[in-house]
Amino acid sequence: MMKSIVAGLAGTALLATVAFAQSPTTTTDKAPTAATPTATTTTATGQWRTSKMDGLKVYNEANENIGTINDLLMDKSGDIKIAVIGVGGFLGMGEHLVAVPYEKLKFVNEAVAYTGANQGAKPAATTTTGAATGTDTKPAATTTSSTSKWYPDHAVFNASKDELKNMPEFKYSE
């Protein structure tokens, strides 16, 4: 009795899978009304991924690390208006968040240039204020670029770490 129940269930399962595997045929005389989607290739040369901007180091004009970008806030049209910078803290604990106007940040494509004799040397780098543009004036000899890695090396903001810590703390509204 048990063998016949098991055999019946197995047969039913086998027939059900065959029925589901068949594709239904349509018998309509109408032509399809929806246009067939076409794939278009879009290039984004000179653009940066916002997901890569999270954690980007921020330096001041004296090449001192003053914080990291924690978030970018945009308006309803999609324009980035505010950069939230985390100052101080350790591994995100005790960090002081401040909001700065996005257009006040300068983005640099090359690494911070440190030399043993001159610690305050500014990097000889191409900067972009605010958003990336396709008219980057970077020297042709540079082998790494922000367009190949989709984000700049770092940002520059004209303030000291203490000045940022003394700014009003940014809080997300619920």
Side-chain angles (χ1 to χ4, degrees):
M1 173 82 163
M2 189 61 130
K3 286 184 183 182
S4 59
I5 292 174
V6 171
L9 288 175
T12 305
L14 182 61
L15 289 175
T17 56
V18 171
F20 285 120
Q22 293 179 359
S23 61
T25 58
T26 57
T27 57
T28 60
D29 295 334
K30 296 182 198 175
T33 58
T36 306
T38 58
T40 59
T41 304
T42 305
T43 58
T45 305
Q47 303 297 311
W48 294 329
R49 293 174 55 186
T50 56
S51 60
K52 296 288 187 179
M53 300 293 274
D54 186 26
L56 190 73
K57 291 186 186 237
V58 180
Y59 293 85
N60 61 15
E61 297 288 334
N63 286 344
E64 298 168 333
N65 185 347
I66 57 174
T68 58
I69 294 178
N70 282 23
D71 210 347
L72 298 174
L73 306 178
M74 64 179 76
D75 61 13
K76 290 180 181 179
S77 67
D79 295 328
I80 299 173
K81 297 295 183 182
I82 295 174
V84 178
I85 298 177
V87 185
F90 181 72
L91 298 174
M93 301 295 293
E95 191 171 50
H96 180 75
L97 298 178
V98 296
V100 300
Y102 184 73
E103 67 270 2
K104 298 290 184 183
L105 291 173
K106 290 185 256 174
F107 293 96
V108 181
N109 295 326
E110 287 82 20
V112 176
Y114 290 111
T115 60
N118 190 1
Q119 289 293 327
K122 290 184 183 179
T126 302
T127 59
T128 304
T129 303
T133 63
T135 58
D136 199 359
T137 58
K138 189 185 325 189
T142 305
T143 57
T144 60
S145 70
S146 66
T147 57
S148 65
K149 63 181 185 176
W150 290 90
Y151 59 97
D153 181 75
H154 65 278
V156 177
F157 184 71
N158 191 17
S160 69
K161 188 178 275 193
D162 289 334
E163 288 173 328
L164 286 177
K165 284 182 181 180
N166 291 330
M167 288 177 67
E169 186 171 6
F170 175 79
K171 298 211 184 250
Y172 291 96
S173 61
E174 300 299 322

